[in-house]
């Protein structure tokens, strides 16, 4: 029979698991290792104005996910005001409203922004050119001469913008530039000149992030477009490029703040930088469950904590498969060591080992007495279960009386599994002697300890919880190991006499 379908299945499972894991790491920025830190900026915008006793409508631009930054969370503090978030043409805005207000008013907006160097810039539509540009004399002549001079020294829209900005530098500023500066503000003037030359451009507002700064204002930048690409320019210096600490707050050329029903409005910004675990920084994005972002982070926290343990079981199962099929270790029950390892995670290794040995030892003694009663199997196993519960209860009470709080965790042991383990070991003792009991019992403990060490590793816990594709990879590995039909390592000792000869 052809094994090709089997290997195709294994290959598909492995590749699918790798692809899902890589997607979560590179697209969703889930880290490979636990404890990895990410820089998060907490930015607070404070809006102040004086209400006139009439209905008030406050409209403020909001930041969004952009190149270098990803918006994590946002919340507001606006007692008595209604609040709506509006998005039009890709621009996000917050609108506060109230039927009547008077006196000094303060509104707060706070956003957490993750520093994400791999975040892609949003796709922006080229703004329309202004066709209604009219200059009064003699400003029309000065503007035309500036545009002509910069145009002759440029090769495309970006170099033209750079040359035009240099015309307003202090060392190169001529009479035409000085004349226009007496009548117009620098940034709107430059945008107006670019539009007149047929170069799409607009003014945007950005916030320079500096740790611990308070009462900061937005700075003006000019966005210049050339076909489908765009560049950012500093209108004060003419430098091309975006600083790493610049957060674009308003990027559609609209007003940052508009207040109806109030006067003396202004907005100031405070900011604070801090580091936090990368998994926590991207948790809200992981909760957005999609087909490619299938994640248990969308579940409530209680269920997440449950699955964090459940997802470790395949790791323990892989350890059992390796030790039983490749090494040849015998265990009492196929996957009983995995359940014991789960109990060790709850109790700690030392406490779990002592508790397991005590319960099994006492259980075997009591089970040896039950064998003289000639009970049926169901009744005998039921009696063993009740006995195990009694043993665990007694040990817990004694541990509490002696101040050994760690002994209370013995209740995490799976009682049914312990009962069946005692029953199997008792039958094995009667049929094959104490040696086989020690071999299988010792093999079970060794397997449980190794499974515990693998499952309790922080890196393993992080990978299994955050990358569900790992489960497919484990499935592929287990299928491959299950296809092994060679000698086990412990069986090779049979050939020792041959090597001696």
């Amino acid at each position: 029979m052809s094994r090709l379908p089997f290997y195709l299945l294994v290959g598909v499972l492995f590749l699918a698991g790798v692809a899902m894991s890589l997607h979560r790491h590179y697209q969703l920025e889930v880290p490979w290792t636990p404890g990895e830190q990410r820089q998060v900026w907490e930015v607070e915008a404070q809006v102040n104005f004086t209400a006139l006793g009439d209905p008030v409508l406050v409209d403020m631009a909001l930041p969004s996910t952009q190149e270098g930054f990803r918006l994590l969370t946002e919340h507001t503090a606006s007692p008595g005001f209604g609040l709506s978030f509006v998005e039009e043409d890709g621009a996000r805005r917050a609108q506060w409203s109230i039927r009547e207000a008077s006196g000094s008013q303060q509104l707060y907006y706070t956003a957490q922004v993750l520093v994400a160097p791999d975040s892609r810039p949003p796709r922006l539509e080229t703004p329309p050119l202004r066709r209604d540009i009219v200059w009064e004399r003699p400003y029309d002549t000065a503007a035309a001469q500036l545009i002509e001079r910069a145009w002759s020294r440029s090769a495309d829209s970006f170099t033209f913008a750079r040359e035009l900005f240099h015309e307003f530098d202090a060392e190169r500023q001529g009479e035409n530039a000085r004349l226009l500066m007496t009548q117009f503000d620098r940034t709107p003037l430059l945008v107006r000149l670019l539009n007149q030359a047929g170069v799409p451009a607009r003014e945007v507002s950005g916030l320079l992030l500096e740790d611990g700064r308070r009462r900061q204002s937005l700075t003006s930048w000019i966005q210049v477009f050339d076909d489908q690409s765009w560049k950012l320019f500093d209108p004060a210096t003419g430098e091309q490029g975006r600083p790493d600490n610049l957060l674009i707050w308003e990027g559609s050329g609209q007003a940052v703040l508009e207040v109806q029903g109030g006067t003396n409005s202004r907005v100031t910004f405070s900011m604070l930088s801090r580091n936090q675990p990368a998994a926590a920084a991207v948790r809200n994005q992981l909760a957005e469950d999609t087909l490619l972002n299938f994640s248990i982070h969308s579940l409530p926290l209680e269920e997440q904590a449950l699955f964090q343990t459940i997802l470790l079981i395949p790791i323990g199962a892989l350890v059992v498969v390796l030790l039983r099929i490749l090494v040849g270790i015998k265990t009492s029950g196929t996957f009983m060591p995995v359940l014991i390892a789960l109990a060790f995670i709850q109790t700690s290794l030392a406490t779990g080992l002592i508790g397991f040995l005590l319960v099994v030892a006492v259980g075997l003694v009591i089970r040896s007495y039950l064998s003289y009663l000639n009970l049926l199997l169901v009744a005998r196993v039921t009696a063993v279960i009740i006995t195990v519960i009694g043993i665990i209860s007694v040990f817990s009470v004694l541990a509490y009386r002696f101040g050994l709080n760690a002994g209370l965790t013995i209740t995490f042991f799976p009682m049914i599994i312990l009962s069946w383990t005692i029953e199997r070991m008792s039958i094995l003792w009667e049929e094959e002697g104490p040696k086989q009991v020690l071999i299988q019992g010792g093999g079970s403990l060794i397997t449980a300890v190794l499974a515990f060490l693998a499952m309790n590793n922080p890196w393993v816990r992080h990978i299994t919880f955050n990358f569900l594709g790992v489960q497919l990879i484990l499935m592929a590995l287990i299928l491959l190991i299950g296809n092994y039909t060679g000698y086990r390592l412990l069986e090779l000792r049979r050939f020792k006499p041959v090597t001696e000869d």
Side-chain angles (χ1 to χ4, degrees):
M1 183 177 178
S2 175
R3 303 293 293 173
L4 180 60
F6 170 77
Y7 291 113
L8 285 177
L9 174 62
V10 171
V12 169
L13 288 173
F14 184 83
L15 293 177
V18 171
M20 290 175 61
S21 301
L22 292 177
H23 174 266
R24 288 178 64 79
H25 176 69
Y26 290 106
Q27 295 298 324
L28 305 179
E29 299 183 2
V30 181
W32 291 121
T33 57
E36 188 174 330
Q37 299 288 313
R38 293 286 177 85
Q39 185 182 15
V40 175
W41 286 93
E42 189 162 355
V43 182
E44 180 186 81
Q46 179 179 349
V47 179
N48 295 275
F49 65 96
T50 302
L52 304 177
D54 299 323
V56 175
L57 177 62
V58 179
D59 190 297
M60 187 182 74
L62 300 180
S64 58
T65 297
Q66 56 193 268
E67 182 180 6
F69 298 98
R70 176 173 291 116
L71 183 64
L72 293 181
T73 61
E74 55 185 352
H75 59 271
T76 63
S78 50
F81 282 79
L83 173 64
S84 297
F85 292 98
V86 180
E87 185 169 354
E88 295 180 357
D89 300 328
R92 300 177 62 250
R93 304 187 72 87
Q95 292 183 347
W96 290 272
S97 59
I98 193 171
R99 181 61 63 178
E100 182 179 351
S102 60
S104 178
Q105 304 290 329
Q106 290 85 34
L107 305 175
Y108 295 90
Y109 168 83
T110 304
Q112 283 190 335
V113 182
L114 170 69
V115 176
D118 296 332
S119 179
R120 297 180 180 179
R123 182 179 179 86
L124 300 178
E125 297 293 335
T126 303
L129 289 171
R130 290 184 55 186
R131 302 296 183 183
D132 56 347
I133 300 176
V134 179
W135 303 88
E136 297 180 357
R137 286 184 173 276
Y139 304 112
D140 56 346
T141 304
Q145 291 180 359
L146 282 173
I147 292 173
E148 183 179 358
R149 179 181 173 89
W151 191 268
S152 64
R153 298 182 176 184
S154 64
D156 54 22
S157 297
F158 299 139
T159 55
F160 169 73
R162 193 162 55 240
E163 291 298 323
L164 182 63
F165 293 166
H166 287 328
E167 292 294 331
F168 290 85
D169 292 343
E171 62 273 8
R172 292 178 54 179
Q173 194 175 99
E175 294 182 357
N176 293 325
R178 284 194 294 270
L179 176 63
L180 292 173
M181 289 288 289
T182 60
Q183 185 68 19
F184 304 97
D185 292 332
R186 186 186 187 97
T187 303
L189 172 61
L190 292 172
V191 173
R192 191 173 185 179
L193 291 171
L194 287 168
N195 277 266
Q196 181 173 339
V199 176
R202 64 185 171 198
E203 179 182 356
V204 298
S205 299
L207 182 65
L208 290 171
L209 300 174
E210 299 180 36
D211 190 22
R213 299 301 297 270
R214 301 171 58 246
R215 298 178 181 176
Q216 300 299 297
S217 301
L218 298 178
T219 55
S220 295
W221 298 76
I222 295 180
Q223 209 171 38
V224 180
F225 292 79
D226 187 5
D227 292 332
Q228 297 298 322
S229 61
W230 57 270
K231 300 291 184 183
L232 207 61
F233 289 85
D234 185 350
T237 63
E239 293 183 0
Q240 175 182 328
R242 174 178 178 169
D244 293 336
N245 64 332
L246 178 64
L247 174 67
I248 300 297
W249 195 272
E250 199 292 312
S252 60
Q254 303 178 20
V256 174
L257 178 66
E258 293 180 342
V259 177
Q260 300 177 22
T263 59
N264 300 324
S265 61
R266 66 186 185 279
V267 56
T268 57
F269 299 86
S270 303
M271 63 209 76
L272 190 66
S273 174
R274 56 188 176 86
N275 291 328
Q276 68 180 61
V282 299
R283 182 169 293 136
N284 74 311
Q285 183 184 2
L286 297 178
E288 297 175 0
D289 210 15
T290 62
L291 180 61
L292 293 179
N293 182 25
F294 183 75
S295 170
I296 60 176
H297 291 82
S298 57
L299 297 175
L301 290 180
E302 183 177 357
E303 280 70 21
Q304 289 187 40
L306 176 63
F307 270 98
Q308 191 171 29
T309 302
I310 291 176
L311 291 173
L312 293 173
I313 294 178
I315 297 294
L318 177 63
V319 173
V320 173
V321 169
L322 288 172
L323 294 179
R324 285 181 64 98
I325 295 179
L326 299 184
V327 180
I329 292 181
K330 296 182 179 180
T331 61
S332 178
T334 306
F335 289 104
M336 184 271 288
V338 178
L339 300 177
I340 300 301
L342 285 175
F344 288 167
I345 292 176
Q346 303 292 333
T347 63
S348 80
L349 183 59
T351 304
L353 281 174
I354 294 173
F356 177 80
L357 292 174
L358 286 175
V359 172
V360 173
V362 176
L364 283 175
V365 172
I366 296 176
R367 169 61 179 77
S368 64
Y369 169 74
L370 293 177
S371 64
Y372 290 105
L373 301 180
N374 294 323
L375 300 176
L376 296 176
L377 175 63
V378 175
R380 188 170 66 242
V381 173
T382 303
V384 173
I385 292 174
I386 297 174
T387 301
V388 169
I389 294 175
I391 294 171
I392 291 177
S393 302
V394 171
F395 285 163
S396 298
V397 172
L398 291 176
Y400 178 75
R401 291 292 181 87
F402 287 102
L404 303 174
N405 293 331
L408 298 176
T409 58
I410 196 175
T411 55
F412 286 105
F413 276 110
M415 299 179 186
I416 305 298
I417 300 301
L418 282 180
S419 302
W420 272 106
T421 300
I422 293 171
E423 176 68 18
R424 290 170 60 90
M425 286 186 175
S426 179
I427 295 175
L428 189 65
W429 188 302
E430 296 172 355
E431 295 180 351
E432 301 189 27
K435 180 179 179 181
Q436 286 299 318
V437 172
L438 292 177
I439 290 176
Q440 293 192 17
S444 298
L445 272 184
I446 292 174
T447 304
V449 170
L450 293 177
F452 163 79
L453 295 176
M455 296 162 66
N456 202 44
N457 183 280
W459 184 82
V460 172
R461 297 174 70 93
H462 172 81
I463 288 293
T464 55
F465 182 64
N466 291 285
F467 297 91
L468 294 185
V470 172
Q471 306 298 323
L472 299 180
I473 297 175
L474 292 175
M475 174 68 80
L477 293 177
I478 290 173
L479 290 178
L480 279 178
I481 297 172
N483 198 41
Y484 177 75
T485 56
Y487 288 107
R488 295 174 175 84
L489 291 178
L490 294 181
E491 293 177 339
L492 297 179
R493 60 184 177 180
R494 295 186 301 172
F495 300 96
K496 186 178 180 179
V498 176
T499 59
E500 292 176 353
D501 293 340

